[in-house]
């Protein structure tokens, strides 16, 4: 549909048109420069500025092509096309913008509690928006496609265009990752710059393809190849801005005291997670900075160390943990990956950890049946002992954290974020635990400005560990602590620079 030769022809024609219109060439390059510099801003000002710059850039690019330029009556449609194409060419900008929008913690909790349904709704809304755009009748706006067959074709072609862009973007990233992983020093840095510049060229090509699709198809004049004066200045400006922006983002922001946190107390496949034998074995082999575990409240008001809300008995029938007593639960033997161990109460686990001097990060798990007074009960039973031994608490439910802080201000509390999209929640939080796929530099910087630590979960391979280190995280929660600890001891500056490149390519935050 959108062949690479078309893209090359488009770039040739674009450079020729820019050369004939030096004022537009300057405007075009300045807009790109402001787009990059706008990433330095925060808050709603950034969001508004970003939308204005995107529309201005699109209008300038379209104006260079007379038969693509929208007329005054087509302005609404042009804005729709521009915003619609943001879904793929501007995804990094969109996430950067969303991270500036403050969302109340209650809403964030609701989204996190129903995240699968939320993602499904967002996807459906996105496809529905494209279908609506393709199906609106001429009578409504006066410029949209009206025939159903044409609407269906346009809808499928827009989806195909997005698929192609994702493919070429992934292909370009794979090349960049391979090259940057095999080169070192200045050569690596120059290739990182080049790959990121090619990414922007790819975005421009598909931006024009989207306008072609929605405002009439035509072939570009591939015979045009002259590049001089204004085009050279234009790309020099773009290159300098790219260099300034990327140079900062490719400098590793390493934390001097990077923590290794054993996820559910395990280290590789050394035992059943969340059990005392595994905790002791991990301490002996890994000696993690913290050992993370999960607890749930039982029917008799005690706490048991377990991750899942349901527990299968010997007959295979599942029962809810919060409907069982602690006595019933600690008699249950759990088998996993060739290992077997009994469940333990939190008091027993805590005592074992303190005996071997292993600091803990305890995640308090909840479900819809739990009473939030459990936070006060938890503090009454364990807070003093935890504070004395440097233990911490975190939870995915902010209401739990708020109640823990209300009951015991001295106990350090963290907020677990399944994904970081919106702005940082305000509240009595000492640290954050964020999911590794959505970790970003701006969130970590904002947390550090507030003197709060950021731990990334669950990081189990070298590449994600490099990304977390390079972006400035304070530690990783991992199932493979020994493996990552050995790797970090031998990792070089170029390795961390590669982590920065991956972060910069994937997101602008």
């Amino acid at each position: 549909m959108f062949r690479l030769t078309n893209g090359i022809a488009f770039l040739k024609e674009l450079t020729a048109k820019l050369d004939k219109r030096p004022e537009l060439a300057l405007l075009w390059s300045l807009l790109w420069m402001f787009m990059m510099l706008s990433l330095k801003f925060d808050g709603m000002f950034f969001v508004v500025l970003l939308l204005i710059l995107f529309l201005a850039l699109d209008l300038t690019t379209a104006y260079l092509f007379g038969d693509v330029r929208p007329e005054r009556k087509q302005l609404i449609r042009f804005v729709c096309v521009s915003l619609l194409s943001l879904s793929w060419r501007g995804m990094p900008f969109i996430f950067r913008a969303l991270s500036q929008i403050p969302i109340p913690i209650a809403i964030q909790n609701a989204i996190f509690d129903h995240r699968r349904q939320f993602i499904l709704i967002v996807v459906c809304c996105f496809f529905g928006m494209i279908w609506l755009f393709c199906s609106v009748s001429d009578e409504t706006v006066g410029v949209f496609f009206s025939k159903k067959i044409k609407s269906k074709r346009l809808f499928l072609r827009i989806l195909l265009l997005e698929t192609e862009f994702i493919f070429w973007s992934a292909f370009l990233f794979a090349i960049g990752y391979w090259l940057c992983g095999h080169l070192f020093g200045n050569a690596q840095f120059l290739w990182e710059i080049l790959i990121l510049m090619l990414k922007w060229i790819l975005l421009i090509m598909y931006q024009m393809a989207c306008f072609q699709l929605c405002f009439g198809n035509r072939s570009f004049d591939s015979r045009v190849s002259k590049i001089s004066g204004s085009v050279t200045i234009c790309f020099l400006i773009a290159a300098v801005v790219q260099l300034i922006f990327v140079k900062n983002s490719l400098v590793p922001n390493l934390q001097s005291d990077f923590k290794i946190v054993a996820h559910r107390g395990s280290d590789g496949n050394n035992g059943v997670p969340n059990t005392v034998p595994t905790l002791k074995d991990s301490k002996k082999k890994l000696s993690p900075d913290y050992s993370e575990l999960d607890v749930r409240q039982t029917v008799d008001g005690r706490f048991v160390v377990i991750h899942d809300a349901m527990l299968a008995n010997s007959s295979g029938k599942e029962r809810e943990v919060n409907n069982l007593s602690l006595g019933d639960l600690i008699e249950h033997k759990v088998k996993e990956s060739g290992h077997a161990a009994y469940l333990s109460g939190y008091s027993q686990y805590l005592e074992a950890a303190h005996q071997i001097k292993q600091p803990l990060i305890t995640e308090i798990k909840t479900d819809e049946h739990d009473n939030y007074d459990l936070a006060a009960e938890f503090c009454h039973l364990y807070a003093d002992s935890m504070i004395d031994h440097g233990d911490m608490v975190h939870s995915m439910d902010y209401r739990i954290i708020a109640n823990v802080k209300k009951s015991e201000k001295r106990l350090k509390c963290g907020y677990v974020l399944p994904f970081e999209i919106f702005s940082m929640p305000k509240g009595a939080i000492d640290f954050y635990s964020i999911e590794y796929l959505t970790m970003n530099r701006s969130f970590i910087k904002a947390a550090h400005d507030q003197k709060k630590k950021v731990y990334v979960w669950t990081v189990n391979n070298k590449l994600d560990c490099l990304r977390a280190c390079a972006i400035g995280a304070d530690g990783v929660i991992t199932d493979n602590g020994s493996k990552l600890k050995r790797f970090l001891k031998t990792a070089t500056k170029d390795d961390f620079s590669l982590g920065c490149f991956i972060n910069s390519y994937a997101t602008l935050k």
Side-chain angles (χ1 to χ4, degrees):
M1 177 185 160
F2 182 68
R3 299 190 306 273
L4 200 59
T5 51
N6 286 349
I8 295 170
F10 158 69
L11 290 176
K12 287 182 177 180
E13 186 170 346
L14 175 63
T15 55
K17 286 179 177 291
L18 288 173
D19 194 55
K20 292 177 183 177
R21 302 292 300 274
E23 72 283 1
L24 285 179
L26 183 61
L27 176 61
W28 191 75
S29 58
L30 286 175
L31 285 169
W32 271 107
M33 180 182 72
F34 289 136
M35 284 275 286
M36 302 302 293
L37 294 179
S38 70
L39 296 169
K40 301 297 181 183
F41 295 100
D42 291 315
M44 292 303 295
F45 175 76
F46 163 77
V47 178
V48 175
L49 179 63
L50 187 65
L51 287 175
I52 293 173
L53 288 172
F54 253 117
L55 290 172
L57 181 66
D58 288 347
L59 192 60
T60 303
T61 307
Y63 191 83
L64 290 167
F65 297 86
D67 52 349
V68 178
R69 183 177 71 245
E71 303 296 336
R72 185 176 299 177
K73 69 177 183 179
Q74 292 181 308
L75 208 53
I76 296 177
R77 185 175 176 207
F78 173 81
V79 171
C80 289
V81 174
S82 181
L83 294 178
L84 190 66
S85 63
L86 271 176
S87 61
W88 39 272
R89 66 188 173 94
M91 190 61 73
F93 290 99
I94 289 175
F95 280 119
R96 177 73 171 85
L98 285 175
S99 68
Q100 306 301 310
I101 300 175
I103 299 293
I105 289 177
I107 297 178
Q108 290 202 29
N109 262 326
I111 293 174
F112 295 159
D113 290 343
H114 305 91
R115 50 191 177 276
R116 292 182 180 84
Q117 296 92 323
F118 176 74
I119 292 172
L120 180 62
I121 290 172
V122 170
V123 171
C124 291
C125 287
F126 168 67
F127 285 116
M129 217 169 63
I130 299 178
W131 185 265
L132 182 64
F133 167 76
C134 298
S135 304
V136 174
S137 65
D138 287 346
E139 290 77 16
T140 305
V141 180
V143 293
F144 288 84
F145 291 98
S146 59
K147 294 182 179 179
K148 288 293 180 182
I149 184 68
K150 189 176 288 188
S151 297
K152 291 178 181 178
R153 286 177 180 173
L154 182 60
F155 177 77
L156 293 174
R157 292 175 75 179
I158 288 176
L159 292 185
L160 181 59
L161 187 67
E162 294 192 14
T163 304
E164 288 181 357
F165 172 78
I166 293 170
F167 169 79
W168 286 113
S169 184
F171 180 72
L172 181 62
F173 170 75
I175 293 176
Y177 172 69
W178 185 85
L179 283 171
C180 297
H182 289 76
L183 299 172
F184 303 99
N186 292 331
Q188 183 193 44
F189 178 73
L190 291 174
W191 270 108
E192 288 169 346
I193 296 291
L194 177 62
I195 292 296
L196 290 171
M197 290 190 70
L198 288 175
K199 175 188 177 183
W200 295 121
I201 292 174
L202 188 70
L203 287 170
I204 296 167
M205 287 166 54
Y206 274 84
Q207 170 205 26
M208 204 58 209
C210 190
F211 287 139
Q212 262 191 285
L213 191 62
C214 299
F215 289 96
N217 294 304
R218 72 177 179 86
S219 59
F220 291 114
D221 186 358
S222 59
R223 297 169 298 173
V224 180
S225 59
K226 180 182 177 182
I227 301 178
S228 59
S230 57
V231 176
T232 304
I233 295 172
C234 173
F235 279 96
L236 276 176
I237 292 174
V240 169
V241 174
Q242 181 82 340
L243 181 64
I244 294 171
F245 175 77
V246 174
K247 186 176 181 180
N248 291 332
S249 65
L250 291 180
V251 175
N253 184 25
L254 304 177
Q255 297 300 307
S256 57
D257 188 21
F258 193 79
K259 304 292 187 184
I260 297 292
V261 182
H263 183 225
R264 292 196 254 174
S266 62
D267 179 32
N269 186 23
N270 70 327
V272 180
N274 280 330
T275 59
V276 172
T278 304
L279 169 74
K280 293 180 177 179
D281 187 69
S282 296
K283 175 65 177 180
K284 187 184 301 182
K285 294 179 180 177
L286 169 63
S287 189
D289 297 288
Y290 288 96
S291 185
E292 193 260 359
L293 68 147
D294 309 287
V295 300
R296 292 182 180 274
Q297 191 175 38
T298 61
V299 72
D300 52 353
R302 298 295 176 174
F303 291 84
V304 63
V305 182
I306 189 172
H307 179 273
D308 297 332
M310 305 296 291
L311 185 68
N313 58 23
S314 57
S315 62
K317 185 179 179 181
E318 289 192 335
R319 296 185 63 186
E320 294 182 357
V321 171
N322 60 7
N323 286 334
L324 297 170
S325 69
L326 181 61
D328 292 334
L329 288 163
I330 61 176
E331 294 178 355
H332 186 89
K333 180 178 280 190
V334 182
K335 297 180 180 180
E336 186 172 324
S337 303
H339 301 279
Y342 285 99
L343 295 176
S344 64
Y346 186 58
S347 297
Q348 177 192 354
Y349 196 97
L350 201 62
E351 183 180 354
H354 293 167
Q355 284 178 352
I356 61 176
K357 297 182 180 180
Q358 175 59 66
L360 301 175
I361 299 179
T362 303
E363 179 176 354
I364 302 178
K365 293 281 190 180
T366 60
D367 56 37
E368 62 272 16
H369 303 299
D370 282 315
N371 186 331
Y372 292 102
D373 290 337
L374 68 86
E377 296 172 24
F378 181 88
C379 289
H380 174 71
L381 292 169
Y382 310 114
D384 289 337
S385 178
M386 295 176 71
I387 293 168
D388 291 341
H389 292 86
D391 299 331
M392 301 190 293
V393 174
H394 67 177
S395 178
M396 199 174 290
D397 192 326
Y398 183 80
R399 291 162 291 192
I400 290 293
I401 295 303
N403 286 348
V404 168
K405 270 296 183 184
K406 185 178 179 181
S407 299
E408 181 51 79
K409 294 181 179 179
R410 296 176 300 161
L411 187 58
K412 289 187 177 181
C413 297
Y415 188 26
V416 182
L417 299 174
F419 47 82
E420 193 288 299
I421 296 179
F422 305 111
S423 66
M424 182 183 298
K426 301 294 188 296
I429 300 168
D430 299 299
F431 67 94
Y432 294 93
S433 303
I434 63 174
E435 205 274 339
Y436 78 99
L437 287 175
T438 57
M439 63 178 170
N440 63 82
R441 187 182 292 260
S442 63
F443 180 90
I444 293 174
K445 181 181 180 300
H448 287 167
D449 289 343
Q450 296 181 21
K451 310 298 182 185
K452 296 175 181 178
K453 303 283 188 180
V454 178
Y455 302 102
V456 183
W457 59 276
T458 304
V459 176
N460 288 330
N461 59 64
K462 297 176 182 178
L463 187 59
D464 292 328
C465 186
L466 276 179
R467 290 184 56 216
C469 288
I471 211 168
D474 296 281
V476 291
I477 301 173
T478 176
D479 295 308
N480 298 317
S482 293
K483 173 184 170 184
L484 296 185
K485 200 171 186 178
R486 289 192 299 269
F487 169 69
L488 289 175
K489 286 182 179 178
T490 59
T492 65
K493 182 180 178 180
D494 291 312
D495 291 324
F496 292 115
S497 183
L498 177 61
C500 285
F501 165 73
I502 297 169
N503 288 325
S504 296
Y505 193 94
T507 177
L508 294 171
K509 296 191 282 180

